[in-house]
Amino acid sequence: MLEHLPEAEIRPLLIAGAHGTLGRAFSSICHTRGLVAVALGRAELDIADPKSVARAFDQHRPWAVVNAAGYVRVDDAENDVERCFRENATGPAVLAAACAQWELPLLTFSSDLVFDGEQEEPYTESATPNPLNVYGRSKLAAEQLVLATCPAALVVRTSAFFSGWDQYNFVHQALQAGRAGQPFEAAEDVRMAPTYVPDLVNTALDLLLDGAQGIWHLACQDSCTWADLARAAARRAGISDEFVVPRRMVDFGLPAARPRQSVLASEKGMLQPSIEDALGRML
């Protein structure tokens, strides 16, 4: 077993995107689980640069690779198409080619925004994607390029993150407003299945260690609107939810179109807890 190997023979898990929410979460949870990992930022590993990827692989000799890097600003992507596709599609494709060459497992992430929201029921892994915005198109391109180049790769589709580990996620911002007695506007006509980051990372690591391949959906096992999520977080935090102001998504005037529902479900097994369970552990 790994723990009985001499230190020089222990190969790390290589994490790209060290400084983002997902990269930091992988580093923390790998440490907690006793998994040797090396997390690299863009200065050390530019996933869209084949030479940078080759240097990182050659230096660290990983046993597997996690791509936690990428372009995450959905609305900015509408006017930043080239950069979005470089980070979200070209980069994963370069990593996939290197992993195929080195015969390494690859874990990379996609999004519920590859769907258009036109169907009534939740989206499973075999549903047909049809993204409405640039970000979603970049993620769909990544899925296709990665699996064409490295069919053994693990591609996890997930949804909006929340956790207690950063101050930029929706739940944290909602609670910050509620505790300050300030109104907080949230869409009441868009439904999704949010994702609790610690559960996402632990389950994705389990799948990677088990040798899972192809597309998997990981998100909370139930769904809600954004306004519902803010209210549920307030109740769990012990504050009144009257500060939540429901709005239509169109009222926000966002550049990127959103599907009216992008709830993820799985035909491979529901591996995540409920929203209430995750909020309870977060708070």
Side-chain angles (χ1 to χ4, degrees):
M1 295 179 65
L2 189 63
E3 56 265 35
H4 300 309
L5 291 174
E7 184 176 353
E9 295 183 35
I10 298 178
R11 298 167 64 186
L13 177 66
L14 181 61
I15 303 166
H19 306 304
T21 296
L22 198 55
R24 293 195 304 270
F26 267 100
S27 294
S28 176
I29 289 175
C30 282
H31 177 75
T32 300
R33 292 177 58 159
L35 295 170
V36 178
V38 173
L40 303 178
R42 182 169 178 172
E44 301 91 4
L45 173 55
D46 178 355
I47 63 171
D49 180 350
K51 292 182 179 178
S52 178
V53 171
R55 283 194 300 269
F57 281 26
D58 189 57
Q59 178 180 355
H60 297 287
R61 301 278 167 170
W63 68 268
V65 179
V66 172
N67 178 30
Y71 190 105
V72 299
R73 299 186 299 279
V74 175
D75 290 303
D76 289 348
E78 294 297 303
N79 293 308
D80 198 9
V81 177
E82 183 176 351
R83 184 177 175 191
C84 177
F85 268 79
R86 182 187 190 278
E87 302 301 319
N88 286 356
T90 303
V94 169
L95 278 180
C99 285
Q101 180 181 349
W102 286 60
E103 299 183 346
L104 299 177
L106 170 64
L107 164 61
T108 191
F109 290 87
S110 188
S111 169
D112 59 336
L113 294 182
V114 299
F115 298 113
D116 60 16
E118 290 304 310
Q119 71 177 38
E120 297 299 325
E121 65 272 14
Y123 288 94
T124 61
E125 289 88 351
S126 61
T128 302
N130 183 34
L132 301 178
N133 54 48
V134 170
Y135 176 84
R137 291 197 290 274
S138 74
K139 286 295 188 178
L140 178 58
E143 293 179 8
Q144 295 167 340
L145 291 167
V146 165
L147 292 174
T149 304
C150 185
L154 171 60
V155 179
V156 171
R157 287 188 187 134
T158 189
S159 188
F161 290 170
F162 70 97
S163 76
W165 293 353
D166 72 74
Q167 300 180 0
Y168 305 105
N169 67 78
F170 176 87
V171 170
H172 179 89
Q173 292 174 341
L175 292 177
Q176 189 175 41
R179 288 167 175 149
Q182 300 171 344
F184 184 79
E185 296 184 345
E188 65 174 347
D189 59 347
V190 171
R191 180 165 290 271
M192 44 81 198
T195 307
Y196 186 48
V197 173
D199 290 337
L200 170 67
V201 171
N202 272 305
T203 305
L205 279 172
D206 290 341
L207 290 173
L208 182 65
L209 290 164
D210 288 344
Q213 302 177 3
I215 295 173
W216 287 68
H217 286 183
L218 295 183
C220 286
Q221 63 183 246
D222 46 354
S223 65
C224 63
T225 68
W226 291 98
D228 290 337
L229 182 58
R231 294 188 192 102
R235 291 193 297 270
R236 275 291 186 172
I239 60 178
S240 170
D241 64 7
E242 293 182 358
F243 71 95
V244 179
V245 181
R247 291 283 185 262
R248 298 179 304 160
M249 181 60 82
V250 69
D251 294 337
F252 292 96
L254 300 173
R258 264 71 166 183
R260 62 182 179 84
Q261 81 90 2
S262 58
V263 179
L264 295 179
S266 179
E267 55 207 11
K268 299 182 177 181
M270 293 304 295
L271 304 178
Q272 303 288 276
S274 67
I275 298 168
E276 286 288 341
D277 179 272
L279 285 171
R281 284 180 288 122
M282 172 183 169
L283 296 170

